[in-house]
Amino acid sequence: MAEPVTEIDVRFSAPGARATSWAAARAALESAQLSWLSTVRADGRPHVTPLVSVWVDDAAFFCTGPQEQKAVNLAGNPHVVLTTGRDTWDRGLDVMVEGAAVRVTDQELLTRLAAAWRARWDGSWRYAVGDGGFHHEGGDGPVHVYEIRAAKVLAFGKGANAFTHTRHRPNLR
């Protein structure tokens, strides 16, 4: 989501606060060690789970086994929210990516994503690419990979006199 339209919501921001820049929101997504993915079950109930994700080419990516609850949910409803941030109310930045999760099967992109996972976590997340997804190196598989096609990214800045509610939307011009 290169250079989105950025708007501050003054209703939920401190007086005089400035919008969180896209660069700051993107940096939070790029550096997050943990995110939480919210999906919707077939009966409408929410499902939230922690996971590791990567931000590559201005998009969020995550992966899951095809039998895991989030994959089952995505088969019926692709709408998700990926959340990251701090567990403090008075400092830091919380960022949410809202959009549709679309399965990635392109071999070249999967290879780049596997390298991103490996580099991001000092080799702790090692995937081999094949059969339209990932396999754990030396282990089981398959692992489905998803891209979140962002409809909007919300950034919530926290701090004394700096509470902000910023919306970043794709620039559709």
Side-chain angles (χ1 to χ4, degrees):
M1 191 163 82
E3 296 310 316
V5 174
T6 298
E7 304 166 312
I8 189 166
D9 191 330
V10 296
R11 299 172 302 166
F12 307 113
S13 300
R18 293 188 177 177
T20 300
S21 70
W22 174 239
R26 186 179 61 233
L29 292 164
E30 290 171 342
S31 65
Q33 291 185 350
L34 188 65
S35 297
W36 291 264
L37 183 73
S38 299
T39 59
V40 181
R41 297 172 192 264
D43 65 4
R45 292 180 299 135
H47 176 259
V48 181
T49 187
L51 49 68
V52 295
S53 61
V54 295
W55 185 265
V56 175
D57 297 338
D58 277 330
F61 296 87
F62 66 92
C63 53
T64 185
Q67 303 305 315
E68 292 185 43
Q69 186 64 54
K70 54 190 162 293
V72 171
N73 296 347
L74 291 171
N77 184 340
H79 300 288
V80 300
V81 178
L82 182 80
T83 305
T84 194
R86 294 187 50 125
D87 65 349
T88 56
W89 76 271
D90 63 349
R91 68 183 182 279
L93 181 65
D94 299 330
V95 181
M96 290 84 181
V97 179
E98 295 183 16
V102 178
R103 186 154 172 228
V104 175
T105 58
D106 177 76
Q107 183 87 6
E108 182 180 324
L109 180 54
L110 288 168
T111 300
R112 290 180 50 236
L113 293 172
W117 254 282
R118 184 177 296 118
R120 178 71 180 88
W121 284 276
D122 298 328
S124 296
W125 294 84
R126 301 181 68 82
Y127 293 114
V129 176
D131 301 324
F134 288 164
H135 295 269
H136 294 281
E137 286 189 356
D140 60 347
V143 177
H144 291 176
V145 180
Y146 293 87
E147 174 186 357
I148 300 174
R149 299 215 173 132
K152 66 181 167 181
V153 175
L154 299 174
F156 298 91
K158 302 177 286 185
N161 299 319
F163 287 93
T164 62
H165 177 158
T166 303
R167 180 184 311 110
H168 303 282
R169 289 178 297 130
N171 190 341
L172 302 176
R173 288 187 239 171

